[in-house]
Amino acid sequence: MNELIRKENGIFKEYFEGTNGRRRVVCILDNHCVRYMVILDGKLKSRHEFSDNQKEKCFRNATKALNK
């Protein structure tokens, strides 16, 4: 099972990224910006946004998307 790993980012404090073959998932858990994006073959496939109080759900769903 692949996991999201915290990365340094100049804009976001809570920035995670994971790769599974051709699929890359980026997860951002900052206040007023809680979302994850699925990138397939270098193209944005989907983006899912959440409210500030749903950070755990966002991270959980991003991990599921990474391991599809």
Side-chain angles (χ1 to χ4, degrees):
M1 183 167 170
N2 296 306
E3 294 187 24
L4 294 168
I5 299 168
R6 177 180 239 136
K7 301 267 183 157
E8 286 294 319
N9 185 286
I11 299 171
F12 303 109
K13 293 177 185 172
E14 297 284 328
Y15 181 88
F16 300 86
E17 201 172 295
T19 304
N20 184 3
R22 301 175 359 212
R23 178 184 305 263
R24 183 167 66 107
V25 174
V26 173
C27 182
I28 301 166
L29 301 176
D30 280 3
N31 288 333
H32 311 300
C33 185
V34 179
R35 68 176 62 147
Y36 76 90
M37 295 163 283
V38 178
I39 302 158
L40 189 62
D41 292 330
K43 294 181 182 175
L44 182 65
K45 181 179 177 189
S46 62
R47 182 177 74 199
H48 304 273
E49 297 190 17
F50 296 82
S51 60
D52 285 353
N53 62 349
Q54 294 182 312
K55 291 180 181 181
E56 292 165 4
K57 181 179 180 183
C58 178
F59 191 84
R60 188 172 56 245
N61 289 356
T63 302
K64 283 182 189 175
L66 177 64
N67 288 293
K68 273 189 173 178

